[in-house]
Amino acid sequence: MNDFNECLNEIEVDDLGSTWFHFTWTKSLKNPNCGTLKKLDRILCNEEFVSIFPQANGKFLPFIVSDHSPIVITLPNGLKRKKKSFRFMNHVATKDDFISTVAMGWNEQISGHKMFQVVTKLKHLKKSLNKLTWDNGNVFSKVKDMKKKAAVIALNEYEKAKADELIVLPIDELGVIFTKVLDTAEANAMVSPISDDEIKGALFDIDDNKASRPDGYSALFFKKAWSVVGQDICDAIKEFFTNGKMLKEINATLIALIPKIDTPNKVSDFRPIACCNVIYKCISKILTNRIKNGLNKLVNVSQSAFIPSRYIIDNILVAQEVLKGYNRSKGIKRCALKIDLQKAYDTVNWDFFQDILVKFGFHD
């Protein structure tokens, strides 16, 4: 009992107030005249539980089928059920009444900036889209069925992949390293006015099945409803490139931490995945598409990743060639250093970074 009491003190839990039966265990359930009764069962809770449910209490009911008394915990005035966040279901976009539902909610007259109008209309549209989703069946039960079917398909594909041969990517020839900068025409092209076709191309390039965003809308919603919402989306994005201002409803991101190992115990053991709103991602893709054409000219060939037509696997092959024969005892002396490079996104000197971009010829 001393060990048990020390355990309770260590984890900081205490008895919850209870009523009805005081003794919770009987020696003989079949013999009602047996006088051996003990209080063995308890309801233990911590301070946080008590602060959330201050009026919680327990009841020890009469013995029925067990020699232990059943326990019922009552939570009067408990927490209200949290309203589920909106998530657009892609299958709704294939229904016949999808366009009419979107058009009915989108034609509402909203005053204010273009981006504010878009955000407000998206908010007001959620209720009617939710109704349309549930009118077409229980999504959650369908998802369970599809997961079972997907598991069978994945197993078959895995068995098939094991029999296939490995595909080796070709290695690009190394060229001569030069110091290059953007010319005036390339720099001006990056800051030229945004067109509707450019916005549509960037948005339609986003994958339909990406993870849910903070506002709950997927890229497929905007693609299927482009005839209704397209012009307003283009006007809102053009407005951003004109005044450089973005509403917080659009500039919002969900950070999902994906564990890299089975038992993560520090931040670096997780891979952060940023889920951005579709309009934000569309703006980002427009900027990326304009910049990436010049990166191949500016970035040194030793950087073999994140640049179009370059492959990170080149680094692996180069490392294997360099280290080949390092374990030999004969020959010249040699050593290798394994350097752990930390990601420096949050430690960059932005003034220095801006100066470097100007030196490379980017537009002010």
Side-chain angles (χ1 to χ4, degrees):
M1 290 305 298
N2 291 333
D3 293 338
F4 180 71
N5 288 329
E6 289 179 3
C7 175
L8 297 185
N9 294 331
E10 180 70 23
I11 63 177
E12 297 181 354
V13 295
D14 202 355
D15 275 345
L16 181 69
S18 59
T19 57
W20 290 29
F21 277 42
H22 176 72
F23 299 107
T24 64
W25 174 81
T26 177
K27 184 177 180 180
S28 177
L29 183 65
K30 296 181 179 180
N31 185 9
N33 296 324
C34 178
T36 305
L37 299 171
K38 297 287 184 181
K39 181 174 176 57
L40 298 183
D41 304 279
R42 298 174 182 272
I43 306 173
L44 302 174
C45 58
N46 59 11
E47 185 178 355
E48 183 180 2
F49 179 87
V50 176
S51 63
I52 298 176
F53 306 103
Q55 300 181 13
N57 62 85
K59 294 180 180 179
F60 289 93
L61 306 181
F63 306 104
I64 304 175
V65 295
S66 171
D67 52 0
H68 287 269
S69 175
I71 305 172
V72 175
I73 301 178
T74 306
L75 305 175
N77 301 324
L79 293 178
K80 294 182 179 179
R81 186 175 182 180
K82 193 174 182 180
K83 186 178 180 181
K84 292 184 178 180
S85 57
F86 170 78
R87 289 291 178 267
F88 177 76
M89 303 296 179
N90 280 350
H91 73 90
V92 177
T94 62
K95 305 305 177 183
D96 296 335
D97 48 353
F98 169 71
I99 293 296
S100 59
T101 302
V102 175
M104 187 180 302
W106 198 264
N107 291 331
E108 181 183 0
Q109 296 298 321
I110 305 294
S111 59
H113 295 288
K114 294 295 184 181
M115 192 167 287
F116 174 78
Q117 294 179 22
V118 169
V119 171
T120 305
K121 290 180 180 180
L122 288 175
K123 286 182 179 179
H124 293 175
L125 199 58
K126 291 180 179 181
K127 186 175 181 180
S128 56
L129 287 177
N130 261 335
K131 183 179 183 303
L132 181 62
T133 301
W134 286 104
D135 288 344
N136 287 277
N138 190 326
V139 178
F140 301 102
S141 61
K142 293 181 180 179
V143 168
K144 290 181 180 179
D145 296 337
M146 293 302 296
K147 281 184 176 180
K148 294 179 181 178
K149 296 179 181 178
V152 176
I153 297 175
L155 181 60
N156 296 335
E157 291 295 327
Y158 173 72
E159 295 295 336
K160 179 181 177 182
K162 288 197 300 184
D164 293 341
E165 296 181 356
L166 293 176
I167 301 175
V168 180
L169 297 175
I171 305 174
D172 294 340
E173 295 182 358
L174 295 177
V176 182
I177 300 176
F178 295 97
T179 302
K180 296 183 178 181
V181 296
L182 297 173
D183 55 41
T184 305
E186 292 173 324
N188 290 334
M190 293 184 183
V191 295
S192 60
I194 307 294
S195 65
D196 291 352
D197 291 337
E198 188 175 7
I199 295 173
K200 182 179 179 180
L203 193 146
F204 276 66
D205 193 39
I206 301 176
D207 189 86
D208 296 340
N209 297 312
K210 290 289 185 180
S212 298
R213 275 74 174 170
D215 63 1
Y217 287 96
S218 66
L220 185 66
F221 165 80
F222 295 95
K223 295 178 184 180
K224 292 294 186 180
W226 189 255
S227 59
V228 179
V229 306
Q231 190 58 52
D232 287 336
I233 299 298
C234 291
D235 292 342
I237 292 177
K238 287 180 180 179
E239 184 182 64
F240 164 77
F241 281 101
T242 301
N243 58 26
K245 296 180 180 180
M246 183 182 296
L247 293 179
K248 64 179 182 180
E249 288 85 355
I250 294 179
N251 189 15
T253 305
L254 289 177
I255 303 296
L257 298 179
I258 311 300
K260 299 178 183 178
I261 57 178
D262 293 336
T263 56
N265 54 19
K266 52 185 178 181
V267 176
S268 59
D269 292 336
F270 293 91
R271 179 182 293 106
I273 304 297
C275 302
C276 309
N277 288 322
V278 174
I279 297 178
Y280 177 93
K281 199 164 186 176
C282 182
I283 293 173
S284 178
K285 287 186 78 70
I286 292 173
L287 294 172
T288 302
N289 292 336
R290 292 193 169 202
I291 292 174
K292 70 179 182 181
N293 294 328
L295 293 182
N296 195 41
K297 176 180 178 181
L298 301 176
V299 179
N300 193 285
V301 292
S302 60
Q303 170 64 43
S304 59
F306 312 114
I307 306 298
S309 74
R310 301 189 191 181
Y311 306 101
I312 196 171
I313 196 174
D314 292 352
N315 282 341
I316 301 174
L317 299 175
V318 170
Q320 289 177 343
E321 290 296 324
V322 171
L323 295 177
K324 186 178 181 180
Y326 258 53
N327 57 342
R328 296 177 182 174
S329 58
K330 298 180 181 181
I332 60 174
K333 295 182 178 180
R334 58 188 71 86
C335 90
L337 298 178
K338 181 181 178 182
I339 303 174
D340 185 13
L341 297 178
Q342 184 178 3
K343 293 181 179 179
Y345 300 129
D346 297 328
T347 57
V348 172
N349 186 311
W350 295 107
D351 293 332
F352 169 78
F353 185 62
Q354 182 175 347
D355 293 340
I356 292 297
L357 292 179
V358 172
K359 294 292 184 183
F360 272 128
F362 283 91
H363 196 284
D364 290 337

